[in-house]
């Protein structure tokens, strides 16, 4: 029996009940959803879709991602209820990266895409990593017309895009070219943006001038990645909302000197 209080997250009808130290980190991702504290797990078990509980038995936690000493486990019982177990010393950010994709709905799906809205309609940008999804949404908020729905993972269904404001991950290449969205980042970070940008420029210089591939590999693992809350730059969409999709754009990086726009 779990004696501590848990947090119940309701993400558009998908209910997650989390216990232990991971609930604080999960709250950073799902604070925008409907959240409430739960005292008795028995009263809520039949109503939830995913139960997240801590475990100290390493034999129960065989899933250990690269670089993690402690792991987690996702068993499925006979009733179809999902139970995610994790070690209290595991890397919570890694565990959450496995938890988020478990969310599912009968009429919606989680896709790898970014999206913006003019508060009437949504524009979705999909594609593999490093094709410019985050840069597009950051550039869009440089104009007063648009707000962010998501920059990496987006819930869509029934022709609508649902606000999925997980923390935005800002990489060095996002910070080095900030002309179109510098003011928006400065509003969120204040003068700290200059420190972050300096770190990004220094890392890129060291990476580009590394004398050996082993050094580049080490620098790749030390790449600075900054977190930005959607609440700080787009508070209007930092809550459960949905908008009809106006356009769906697939981004693809090619070796070309010309920029081609097929449809938007």
């Amino acid at each position: 029996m779990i004696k501590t209080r848990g947090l119940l997250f309701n993400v558009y009808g998908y209910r997650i009940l989390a216990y232990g130290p991971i609930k604080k980190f999960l709250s950073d991702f799902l604070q925008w959803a409907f959240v409430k504290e739960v005292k008795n797990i028995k009263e809520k078990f039949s109503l939830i879709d995913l139960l997240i509980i801590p475990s100290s038995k390493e034999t129960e936690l065989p899933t250990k991602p690269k670089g993690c000493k402690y792991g987690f486990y996702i068993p499925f019982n006979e009733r179809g209820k999902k139970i995610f177990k994790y070690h209290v010393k595991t890397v919570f950010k890694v565990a959450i990266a496995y938890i988020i994709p478990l969310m599912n709905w009968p009429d919606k799906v989680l896709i790898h895409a970014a999206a913006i809205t003019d508060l009437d309609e949504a524009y979705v940008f999909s594609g593999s990593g490093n094709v410019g999804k985050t840069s597009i949404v950051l550039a869009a908020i440089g104009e007063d017309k648009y707000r962010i729905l998501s920059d990496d993972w987006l819930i869509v269904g029934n022709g609508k895009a649902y606000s999925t404001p997980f923390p935005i991950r800002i990489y060095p290449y996002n910070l080095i070219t900030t002309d179109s969205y510098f003011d928006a980042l400065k509003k969120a970070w204040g003068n700290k943006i200059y420190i972050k940008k300096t770190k990004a420029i220094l890392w890129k210089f060291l990476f580009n001038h590394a004398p050996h591939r082993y050094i580049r590999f080490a620098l790749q693992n030390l790449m600075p990645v900054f977190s930005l809350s959607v609440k700080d730059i787009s508070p209007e969409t930092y809550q459960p909302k949905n908008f009809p999709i106006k356009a769906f754009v697939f981004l693809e990086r090619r070796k070309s000197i010309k920029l081609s726009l097929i449809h938007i």
Side-chain angles (χ1 to χ4, degrees), residues 206-224:
L206 293 174
F207 184 82
N208 290 341
H209 294 82
H212 196 279
R213 61 189 179 92
Y214 288 138
I215 297 178
R216 288 194 296 271
F217 177 77
L219 287 170
Q220 185 67 39
N221 291 328
L222 295 173
M223 179 175 62

Side-chain angles (χ1 to χ4, degrees), residues 2-264:
I2 300 176
K3 296 181 180 180
T4 60
R5 297 184 178 185
L7 285 181
L8 180 64
F9 303 89
N10 190 331
V11 185
Y12 299 110
Y14 187 85
R15 297 165 296 270
I16 302 174
L17 181 56
Y19 286 90
I22 201 173
K23 65 184 181 183
K24 177 183 179 299
F25 291 84
L26 193 60
S27 181
D28 292 338
F29 278 77
L30 301 176
Q31 191 178 43
W32 50 272
F34 295 110
V35 185
K36 67 177 182 179
E37 199 172 57
V38 174
K39 297 180 180 180
N40 193 332
I41 188 175
K42 286 188 175 181
E43 295 178 0
K44 298 295 180 181
F45 187 78
S46 61
L47 302 176
I48 65 174
D49 298 294
L50 179 64
L51 175 65
I52 304 174
I53 57 176
S55 175
S56 58
K57 299 179 180 179
E58 293 192 36
T59 55
E60 293 183 351
L61 311 170
T63 304
K64 294 182 179 180
K66 182 179 179 181
C68 296
K69 182 178 180 180
Y70 302 98
F72 36 84
Y73 183 45
I74 314 173
F76 296 84
N77 66 19
E78 67 278 4
R79 295 182 181 179
K81 293 291 183 181
K82 299 178 182 177
I83 305 176
F84 187 100
K85 295 182 180 180
Y86 68 94
H87 197 283
V88 293
K89 293 183 179 180
T90 194
V91 180
F92 297 137
K93 289 184 178 180
V94 176
I96 289 173
Y98 281 76
I99 292 171
I100 297 301
L102 291 175
M103 296 192 298
N104 62 89
W105 304 260
D107 59 345
K108 292 182 282 291
V109 66
L110 187 68
I111 65 172
H112 187 206
I116 58 176
T117 179
D118 57 8
L119 299 181
D120 288 320
E121 296 174 308
Y123 301 84
V124 179
F125 303 89
S126 184
S128 61
N130 197 27
V131 295
K133 296 189 298 296
T134 299
S135 296
I136 286 176
V137 298
L138 289 176
I141 63 171
E143 304 178 23
D144 293 335
K145 181 180 178 181
Y146 298 103
R147 300 293 182 268
I148 293 179
L149 290 178
S150 172
D151 92 302
D152 197 31
W153 290 100
L154 177 70
I155 299 172
V156 297
N158 301 315
K160 298 178 180 179
Y162 293 77
S163 181
T164 319
F166 298 146
I168 300 174
R169 291 167 63 84
I170 306 294
Y171 294 91
Y173 56 82
N174 297 128
L175 276 175
I176 292 173
T177 55
T178 59
D179 293 342
S180 58
Y181 48 87
F182 181 85
D183 291 340
L185 291 180
K186 187 176 181 181
K187 183 179 178 180
W189 283 336
N191 290 331
K192 290 182 179 179
I193 187 175
Y194 298 107
I195 299 175
K196 297 178 188 293
K197 190 168 184 175
T198 300
K199 289 181 178 179
I201 294 173
L202 178 60
W203 177 87
K204 185 177 181 180
F205 176 82
L206 293 174
F207 184 82
N208 290 341
H209 294 82
H212 196 279
R213 61 189 179 92
Y214 288 138
I215 297 178
R216 288 194 296 271
F217 177 77
L219 287 170
Q220 185 67 39
N221 291 328
L222 295 173
M223 179 175 62
V225 181
F226 309 99
S227 180
L228 176 64
S229 174
V230 174
K231 185 178 181 179
D232 294 333
I233 55 175
S234 184
E236 299 91 340
T237 53
Y238 194 73
Q239 54 187 301
K241 285 188 174 182
N242 64 81
F243 302 90
I245 297 175
K246 175 70 173 180
F248 193 106
V249 182
F250 181 79
L251 302 173
E252 185 178 14
R253 185 180 294 274
R254 295 182 179 180
K255 292 182 179 180
S256 174
I257 60 174
K258 293 183 179 181
L259 176 65
S260 60
L261 182 60
I262 298 175
H263 175 72
I264 185 169

